[in-house]
Amino acid sequence: MKKNRLLAKWLNNDLSEDELAAFKASPDFEKYQKIKDYTDHLEVDDLDENKMLANILKQKNAAPKVVPLYKKMMFRAAAIFVLALGITFAMKNFVSQTQTAVFGEKTTFLLPDNSEVVLNSGSEIKYKKWNWDNNRRLELKGEAYFRVAKGRRFEVQTNLGKVSVLGTQFNVRARKNRFDVVCYEGRVKVNYANTQILLTHGQGVSFENGKQDKMIIKALRPEWMDNQICFYKQNIRTLLDEVERQYNITIQLNAKDTMSLFTGKLPAKDLDVALQIISTTYHLESKKATKNKVIFDEK
């Protein structure tokens, strides 16, 4: 109630200097100021004095109804609160929601239909809550695992391609010019450029530079969720980029690019072992220049 009276006095410019300073320091002041600025620009029709006089004479026997000034201010304060609630509701439902996983971390969250999403390191998802049941669509940058609740069509849009499903479990990765999709349960439809592929349980597909490569998957879910980095025919630069994301480090490669493609796994929680595997595979020497920087040199 005290807060409402302060708001009413502020709207009427009746606050003392101390009260005004305290009110401006409140966390909601900026929101109230924006709403007040908006309402101050609202216009009403010009007053018809003759019509008002006629109405007064017509009702001269009726008892006058007086509304105290403080009540008027309270009504205006209430209107501002309602407007603020409406703005808050619109922001939460109509504006895109964003979920991110920074380098070195993973993020798990639920969509409005309770579909579960796990974001891998260095990834981002955007979606809108409004009308979600009829338009289950989101945008992915990076890599994510989805456990989709049954319902209408579910779409994952990336800059490289689109995946459409009903109820299923699958993994999508879109990094630079490589696009990977793996189906762990149910069926998924993959669209890449002018190609459309239907994947079922245990099947995967990768696209890179216009080339397509199908995979057979035995795992029950993505290895990265169990702190293993899995690679399938990927070059050393792609491999090092993923290690940088998982460990939140910088890697400098002082060696010529190699055409050798790596298929295998690296640990996501033991940097020393991961560096040793890379060094052995590509005949390199690794050293830690700083806590967060690793340098690979040719032997």
Side-chain angles (χ1 to χ4, degrees), residues 34-50:
K34 289 180 180 180
I35 297 174
K36 181 175 182 296
D37 291 343
Y38 173 77
T39 56
D40 285 344
H41 289 84
L42 296 178
E43 297 182 356
V44 297
D45 295 335
D46 294 335
L47 182 65
D48 189 336
E49 296 179 355
N50 293 329

Side-chain angles (χ1 to χ4, degrees), residues 105-295:
E105 295 184 9
K106 301 177 181 65
T107 299
T108 302
F109 65 97
L110 296 178
L111 293 168
D113 60 359
N114 287 323
S115 293
E116 182 181 4
V117 182
V118 186
L119 274 176
N120 202 355
S121 302
S123 302
E124 176 185 281
I125 275 181
K126 289 185 178 181
Y127 67 97
K128 291 183 179 180
K129 290 183 177 180
W130 180 253
N131 198 32
W132 175 260
D133 288 340
N134 296 316
N135 185 24
R136 301 197 298 174
R137 182 180 181 276
L138 52 82
E139 297 178 6
L140 168 67
K141 293 180 180 179
E143 182 172 13
Y145 172 69
F146 299 87
R147 187 178 288 113
V148 179
K150 294 186 182 300
R152 295 179 181 272
R153 182 179 298 276
F154 187 100
E155 290 187 355
V156 179
Q157 183 71 54
T158 76
N159 65 320
L160 296 175
K162 182 176 69 174
V163 180
S164 304
V165 301
L166 291 177
T168 189
Q169 298 180 36
F170 63 102
N171 191 81
V172 181
R173 176 169 54 196
R175 304 277 197 198
K176 293 186 176 179
N177 59 346
R178 181 168 174 127
F179 184 45
D180 298 271
V181 181
V182 176
C183 179
Y184 293 95
E185 180 183 289
R187 298 187 303 171
V188 299
K189 183 172 65 176
V190 182
N191 290 88
Y192 175 84
N194 296 322
T195 302
Q196 181 172 291
I197 296 177
L198 185 66
L199 300 178
T200 59
H201 167 73
Q203 294 180 335
V205 65
S206 67
F207 299 93
E208 187 170 14
N209 298 325
K211 295 181 180 180
Q212 174 187 325
D213 198 353
K214 292 186 177 180
M215 301 173 281
I216 301 298
I217 308 299
K218 295 182 180 180
L220 300 179
R221 67 177 191 169
E223 287 86 350
W224 60 264
M225 293 181 64
D226 297 317
N227 296 318
Q228 296 185 71
I229 318 172
C230 187
F231 300 94
Y232 180 76
K233 295 183 179 180
Q234 293 181 335
N235 60 47
I236 186 171
R237 190 63 261 178
T238 300
L239 183 150
L240 295 181
D241 286 346
E242 192 62 34
V243 173
E244 287 181 326
R245 275 187 286 268
Q246 295 297 328
Y247 287 98
N248 192 20
I249 61 174
T250 300
I251 297 178
Q252 179 179 325
L253 177 63
N254 297 330
K256 296 179 180 178
D257 288 339
T258 174
M259 298 302 293
S260 299
L261 300 180
F262 182 82
T263 297
K265 299 177 183 179
L266 297 177
K269 293 296 182 181
D270 193 329
L271 179 59
D272 291 335
V273 173
L275 296 179
Q276 183 60 46
I277 295 174
I278 297 171
S279 298
T280 302
T281 302
Y282 290 100
H283 307 290
L284 301 171
E285 287 184 339
S286 67
K287 63 180 180 181
K288 294 181 180 178
T290 65
K291 180 181 178 181
N292 296 315
K293 182 176 181 179
V294 173
I295 299 177

Side-chain angles (χ1 to χ4, degrees), residues 92-107:
K92 288 184 176 180
N93 290 277
F94 293 99
V95 177
S96 293
Q97 308 293 310
T98 302
Q99 294 283 350
T100 59
V102 299
F103 280 21
E105 295 184 9
K106 301 177 181 65
T107 299

